[in-house]
């Protein structure tokens, strides 16, 4: 039976005609989706979405020319929407991937961390107070907090911090020279 005839009968509350109408639409939509290059799962998603839109409004909408043409337009629009969403999703996924790649530490950062740790160990062997000041300062403790922990004055802390930075700088420069 013609889809337009099935549509007219389905609108008159003929359940068998409605079932047959949606079965016919499902088959033709499935072929269209596969023809558009969608895989099995994507085709299923698009066909179900299109059928749901049609089922929701086919009785209320006034179709003047052809139900088949209207249904094909719904399917076409659903396919376009699905492909557009898929492209948008892939673009956003690529952006997130690029952002995560930018956040990953580079080998230079890892090398610098390794060298910093080695220098801090060397400094702590020579003067543990220097290493402790650098460590507390890098952890974000305020000047007052570091002074309280080490029981030193602010001026004394600045002196220790200056000397410990100089020792760290010298150690890192020695490692640079050793690497070359």
């Amino acid at each position: 039976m013609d889809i337009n005839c099935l549509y007219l009968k389905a609108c008159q509350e003929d359940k068998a005609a409605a079932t047959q109408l949606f079965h016919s639409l499902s088959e033709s939509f499935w072929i269209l989706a596969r023809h558009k290059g969608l895989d099995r799962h994507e085709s299923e998603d698009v066909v179900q979405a299109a059928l749901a839109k049609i089922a929701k409004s086919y009785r209320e909408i006034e179709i003047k020319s052809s139900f088949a043409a209207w249904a094909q337009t719904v399917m076409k629009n659903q396919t376009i929407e699905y492909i557009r969403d898929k492209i948008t999703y892939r673009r956003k996924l690529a952006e997130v991937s690029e952002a995560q790649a930018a956040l990953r530490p580079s080998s230079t950062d890892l090398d610098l961390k390794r060298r910093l740790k080695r220098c801090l160990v060397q400094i702590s062997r020579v003067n543990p107070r220097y290493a402790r000041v650098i460590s507390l300062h890098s952890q974000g403790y305020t000047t007052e907090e570091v002074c309280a922990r080490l029981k030193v004055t602010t001026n004394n802390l600045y002196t220790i911090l200056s000397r410990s930075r100089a020792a760290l700088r010298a150690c890192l420069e020695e490692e640079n020279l050793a690497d070359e």
Side-chain angles (χ1 to χ4, degrees):
M1 187 179 279
D2 178 56
I3 287 198
N4 290 319
C5 293
L6 286 172
Y7 162 70
L8 293 173
K9 286 184 177 187
C11 285
Q12 296 170 353
E13 304 297 327
D14 184 342
K15 292 188 190 245
T19 302
Q20 191 176 355
L21 172 69
F22 281 96
H23 181 71
S24 295
L25 287 174
S26 177
E27 287 176 352
S28 64
F29 286 178
W30 182 264
I31 292 167
L32 284 171
R34 296 296 287 173
H35 180 69
K36 291 291 183 187
L38 301 176
D39 68 23
R40 196 177 116 248
H41 298 292
E42 293 170 332
S43 296
E44 195 171 300
D45 289 343
V46 172
V47 169
Q48 290 301 317
L51 291 174
K53 283 186 178 186
I54 291 170
K56 182 178 178 184
S57 60
Y58 81 98
R59 286 192 177 121
E60 289 90 33
I61 196 162
E62 185 179 329
I63 298 174
K64 294 183 180 178
S65 60
S66 166
F67 172 77
W70 175 76
Q72 294 291 332
T73 302
V74 170
M75 177 59 183
K76 180 180 126 192
N77 291 340
Q78 191 62 42
T79 305
I80 290 169
E81 183 181 327
Y82 182 84
I83 292 170
R84 187 181 314 127
D85 289 348
K86 185 176 171 182
I87 290 168
T88 302
Y89 173 77
R90 285 183 178 166
R91 183 179 42 81
K92 287 182 180 181
L93 191 63
E95 288 172 2
V96 168
S97 179
E98 288 173 16
Q100 286 178 341
L103 294 176
R104 287 188 199 111
S106 67
S107 61
T108 310
D109 292 342
L110 295 174
D111 183 51
L112 179 61
K113 282 183 180 181
R114 179 188 50 77
R115 290 173 39 218
L116 276 170
K117 285 180 183 178
R118 202 173 340 174
C119 285
L120 281 173
V121 168
Q122 288 177 5
I123 291 170
S124 70
R125 286 184 190 137
V126 175
N127 191 333
R129 188 180 247 188
Y130 285 3
R132 180 130 167 112
V133 166
I134 290 175
S135 177
L136 290 172
H137 185 70
S138 69
Q139 291 175 25
Y141 285 96
T142 65
T143 301
E144 293 78 24
E145 292 171 329
V146 175
C147 287
R149 280 178 172 250
L150 298 177
K151 297 179 177 46
V152 295
T153 65
T154 305
N155 286 339
N156 192 5
L157 174 67
Y158 288 139
T159 302
I160 297 168
L161 192 56
S162 175
R163 289 177 182 167
S164 61
R165 286 179 179 158
L168 182 60
R169 189 176 308 112
C171 178
L172 288 172
E173 285 172 0
E174 281 178 29
E175 287 223 357
N176 276 342
L177 290 175
D179 288 344
E180 293 175 355

